[in-house]
């Protein structure tokens, strides 16, 4: 609730800042003042208003950012005296009460100032700041128009030299020039013998033009279109949205799946068909777990309900309501089936008594939504992780917090205890998988290789192999002893949200493509075990 109050205060400050900027806009657009007036000492009322409004907007935006980022908490991030381990061992700040009070009072002061600016006698509305055009006074004489200079007498008026008419012709034509004296007569001589004309020389015949040379271009190589990808298989009774949870029955004969389409489905592994829709939640279904008795199941979702159902027909045996604690993000059951632990969007953790159908504890301490929950093999301890990377270890029967530490740089998703109960494995949005020693609170091993958030984890029955699913679209199989990656399973269809080990040792995945796939344990291509519904 502390975070919600800070977010509301941040939005209020942002609205007040927007109101200040809305008052600044007409001042600049109409030209009453310019932005350059903000950088000099205000010299008139308009520039003073601009400076005040801009500073008020900046102050409100600063307060909004501080409240939104959680830098002005109203209470400490951790309960007083709670032990911190790992990266959070340093002393935590308890808030800035003085600065918080200042920013709580700031919107009231600014709103009062805006009201005074709008309705006060010095405000006058936006039209008061509009510049008026200069007009001459009625009794002020008009300026005389300048006279054009007359052209000089020697210059032609109205035309330039280039366009002047040609000079007139003279009135009397000039006398013709005297002829030169005639040459003396030449005596006649007898005519010469006629010379026969030379035979005509035939004109050369032009050669016909040679045809132009044409370049020889080899035929182009055209790439064919790739064959169309085969359409993804579908089945009418498949999930209509992402598969976010897979759980294998203790006898290995069936699988339960939960989906964002709100439905819990029960599948037959050997017959490869849907047995029945086990139940429907009012919102996204998050978890579906087999009870140790093998005849009932516990399912949970964002509607805040945890429902105990009969596997035989899906009949509802009991409903646990989380109330104001919000939607159920994660759920785990103790091995004896007497306790259930749920993590909620409010950051609270609830321990349920499944024998008496009652609430045993409501545990507080997380400041952010719980995104991972696990119960130890002996049923005595529970681990919870939140989207801020914080991990907490609880005593289930007493409700006491045993340990708290900042385990990841980003959210914690997926958590599983090892068989000895002294170690727990967590995945995260920081792309790592870490193994923690719960006796000392130290990280003892790390698995790296995923390129997206590690969203889900599963440990093999013998504890030797770890299976992880990621938002990078892959599932990976790891050797617990060496930390090496054994196999990579690439869905090529989007994020993987759920993983599980099949009874024959193969790998099951569910994800964004609405399908449940089966992969060979050694790696390679998977097959669609149960397809999604047609799109």
């Amino acid at each position: 609730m502390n975070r919600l109050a800070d977010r509301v205060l941040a939005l209020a400050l942002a609205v007040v800042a927007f109101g200040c900027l809305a008052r600044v806009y007409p001042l600049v657009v109409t030209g009453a003042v310019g932005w350059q007036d903000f950088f000099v000492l205000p010299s008139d009322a308009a520039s003073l208003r601009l400076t005040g409004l801009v500073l008020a907007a900046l102050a409100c935006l600063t307060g909004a950012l501080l409240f939104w980022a959680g830098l002005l908490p109203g209470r400490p991030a951790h309960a007083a005296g709670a032990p911190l381990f790992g990266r959070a061992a340093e002393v935590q700040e308890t808030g800035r009460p003085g600065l918080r009070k200042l920013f709580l009072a700031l919107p009231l002061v600014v709103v009062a100032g805006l009201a005074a600016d709008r309705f006060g006698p010095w405000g006058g509305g936006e039209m008061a700041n509009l510049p008026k055009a200069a007009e001459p006074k009625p009794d002020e004489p008009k300026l005389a128009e300048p006279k054009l200079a007359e052209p000089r007498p020697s210059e032609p008026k109205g035309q330039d030299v280039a366009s002047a008419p040609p000079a007139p012709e003279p009135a009397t034509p000039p006398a013709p020039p005297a002829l030169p004296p005639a040459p003396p007569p030449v005596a006649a001589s007898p005519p010469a013998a006629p010379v026969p004309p030379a035979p005509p020389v035939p004109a050369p015949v032009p050669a016909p033009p040679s045809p132009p040379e044409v370049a020889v271009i080899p035929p182009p190589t055209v790439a064919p279109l790739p064959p169309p990808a085969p359409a993804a298989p579908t089945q009418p009774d498949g999930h209509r949205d992402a598969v976010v949870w897979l759980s294998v029955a203790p006898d290995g004969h069936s699988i339960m799946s939960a989906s964002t389409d709100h439905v819990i489905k029960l599948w037959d592994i050997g017959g490869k068909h849907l047995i029945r829709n086990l139940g429907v939640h009012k919102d996204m279904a998050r978890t579906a777990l087999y009870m140790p008795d093998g005849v009932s199941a516990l399912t949970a979702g964002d509607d805040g309900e945890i429902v105990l159902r009969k596997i035989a027909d899906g009949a509802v045996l009991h409903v646990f309501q989380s109330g104001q604690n919000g939607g159920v993000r994660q759920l785990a059951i103790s091995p004896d089936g007497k306790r259930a632990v749920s993590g909620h969007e409010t950051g609270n953790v609830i321990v349920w008594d499944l024998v008496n159908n009652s609430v045993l504890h409501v545990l507080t301490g997380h400041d952010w939504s719980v995104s991972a929950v696990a119960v130890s093999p002996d049923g005595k301890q529970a681990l919870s992780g939140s989207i801020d990377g914080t991990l907490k270890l609880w005593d289930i029967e007493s409700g006491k917090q045993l340990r708290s530490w900042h385990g990841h740089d980003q959210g914690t998703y997926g958590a599983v205890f090892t068989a000895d109960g002294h170690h727990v494995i967590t995945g995260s949005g920081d792309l790592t998988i870490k193994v923690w020693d719960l006796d000392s609170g130290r990280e003892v091993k790390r698995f790296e290789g995923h390129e997206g958030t590690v969203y889900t984890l599963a440990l093999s029955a013998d504890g030797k192999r770890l299976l992880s699913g990621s938002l990078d679209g892959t599932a990976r199989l790891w050797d617990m002893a060496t930390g090496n990656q054994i196999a990579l399973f690439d869905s090529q269809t989007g994020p993987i949200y759920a993983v599980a080990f099949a009874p024959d040792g193969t790998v099951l995945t569910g994800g964004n493509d609405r399908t449940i796939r089966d992969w060979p344990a050694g790696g390679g291509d998977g097959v669609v075990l149960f397809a999604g519904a047609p799109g």
Side-chain angles (χ1 to χ4, degrees):
M1 298 304 293
N2 187 47
R3 297 296 300 171
L4 179 60
D6 285 356
R7 293 293 175 87
V8 172
L9 290 172
L11 292 176
L13 281 165
V15 170
V16 175
F18 178 78
C20 294
L21 294 177
R23 297 288 294 166
V24 168
Y25 180 78
L27 293 178
V28 177
V29 170
T30 59
V33 291
W35 283 111
Q36 66 274 10
D37 295 331
F38 179 73
F39 300 100
V40 299
L41 187 65
S43 59
D44 54 19
S47 59
L48 183 61
R49 289 179 65 200
L50 174 66
T51 301
L53 289 170
V54 172
L55 290 177
L58 291 176
C60 291
L61 286 175
T62 300
L65 292 173
L66 291 174
F67 275 116
W68 190 268
L71 299 179
L72 299 174
R75 60 183 177 84
H78 297 272
L84 300 175
F85 299 87
R87 299 183 180 178
E90 63 270 11
V91 177
Q92 302 290 309
E93 294 183 0
T94 59
R96 304 174 179 86
L99 192 58
R100 181 182 178 89
K101 292 178 181 179
L102 173 63
F103 281 109
L104 286 175
L106 179 62
L108 302 178
V109 175
V110 174
V111 169
L114 288 174
D117 178 72
R118 178 65 180 86
F119 300 105
W122 55 85
E126 258 59 63
M127 297 305 296
N129 297 305
L130 294 178
K132 297 182 179 180
E135 298 178 357
K137 297 180 180 179
D139 56 348
E140 185 175 282
K142 294 184 178 180
L143 297 177
E145 296 181 359
K147 295 183 179 181
L148 297 177
E150 293 291 337
R152 297 179 181 177
S154 60
E155 297 175 350
K157 297 182 181 179
Q159 60 188 17
D160 54 24
V161 176
S163 60
E169 295 287 340
T172 304
L179 296 177
V186 178
S189 58
V195 179
V201 178
V205 179
S210 59
E213 294 184 0
V214 179
V216 178
I217 301 176
T221 301
V222 180
L225 290 175
T234 60
Q235 59 186 82
D237 53 9
H239 279 296
R240 298 186 178 276
D241 211 335
V243 177
V244 297
W245 188 269
L246 292 175
S247 182
V248 179
D251 60 10
H253 293 159
S254 63
I255 301 173
M256 275 194 301
S257 60
S259 169
T260 55
D261 64 7
H262 305 186
V263 181
I264 307 292
K265 291 182 180 287
L266 183 67
W267 307 89
D268 183 285
I269 296 179
K272 297 184 179 180
H273 67 271
L274 178 70
I275 299 174
R276 68 180 58 86
N277 286 341
L278 197 63
V280 179
H281 279 271
K282 302 180 184 69
D283 204 335
M284 176 195 297
R286 292 273 187 172
T287 315
L289 301 171
Y290 287 91
M291 292 292 289
D293 58 15
V295 299
S296 57
L298 203 62
T299 70
D302 281 0
D303 57 5
E305 292 185 349
I306 301 173
V307 183
L308 185 64
R309 310 174 188 269
K310 288 180 63 177
I311 293 178
D313 55 7
V316 175
L317 301 176
H318 192 76
V319 178
F320 301 86
Q321 291 276 4
S322 63
Q324 297 301 314
N325 294 283
V328 183
R329 295 300 171 87
Q330 289 292 320
L331 180 69
I333 304 174
S334 63
D336 59 8
K338 295 181 179 180
R339 300 287 185 262
V341 181
S342 57
H344 297 262
E345 62 181 342
T346 58
N348 294 339
V349 177
I350 301 177
V351 180
W352 305 89
D353 184 338
L354 300 182
V355 177
N356 300 312
N357 296 333
S358 61
V359 176
L360 192 60
H361 303 291
V362 177
L363 310 174
T364 61
H366 284 294
D367 292 327
W368 296 85
S369 174
V370 175
S371 50
V373 167
V375 173
S376 62
D378 60 7
K380 295 181 179 180
Q381 296 178 346
L383 181 94
S384 60
S386 73
I387 61 174
D388 65 353
T390 301
L391 299 171
K392 293 181 181 292
L393 186 66
W394 310 90
D395 182 277
I396 290 179
E397 292 304 315
S398 67
K400 180 182 178 181
Q401 179 179 291
L402 303 176
R403 191 179 296 279
S404 176
W405 71 102
H406 192 79
H408 290 278
D409 294 332
Q410 296 188 31
T412 303
Y413 302 95
V416 59
F417 276 86
T418 59
D420 61 10
H422 294 283
H423 297 83
V424 70
I425 311 166
T426 58
S428 172
D430 62 13
L431 315 186
T432 66
I433 302 168
K434 297 182 180 181
V435 182
W436 304 94
D437 183 340
L438 295 178
D439 296 330
S440 63
R442 297 180 180 276
E443 176 188 336
V444 296
K445 190 173 295 184
R446 180 180 299 196
F447 305 87
E448 293 181 309
H450 278 295
E451 298 176 357
T453 296
V454 181
Y455 193 78
T456 179
L457 298 174
L459 194 62
S460 63
D462 59 9
K464 295 181 178 180
R465 296 177 300 159
L466 176 69
L467 181 61
S468 60
S470 168
L471 303 191
D472 64 10
T474 70
R476 298 171 191 250
L477 193 63
W478 309 87
D479 185 294
M480 282 295 297
T482 64
N484 295 331
Q485 179 178 299
I486 301 173
L488 170 68
F489 315 100
D490 190 352
S491 70
Q492 299 183 354
T493 55
I496 290 178
Y497 300 118
V499 295
F501 285 99
D504 60 359
T506 59
V507 169
L508 302 175
T509 64
N512 191 63
D513 62 357
R514 312 190 308 277
T515 67
I516 300 172
R517 296 175 184 263
D518 190 14
W519 306 80
D525 295 332
V527 297
V528 176
L529 188 60
F530 302 111

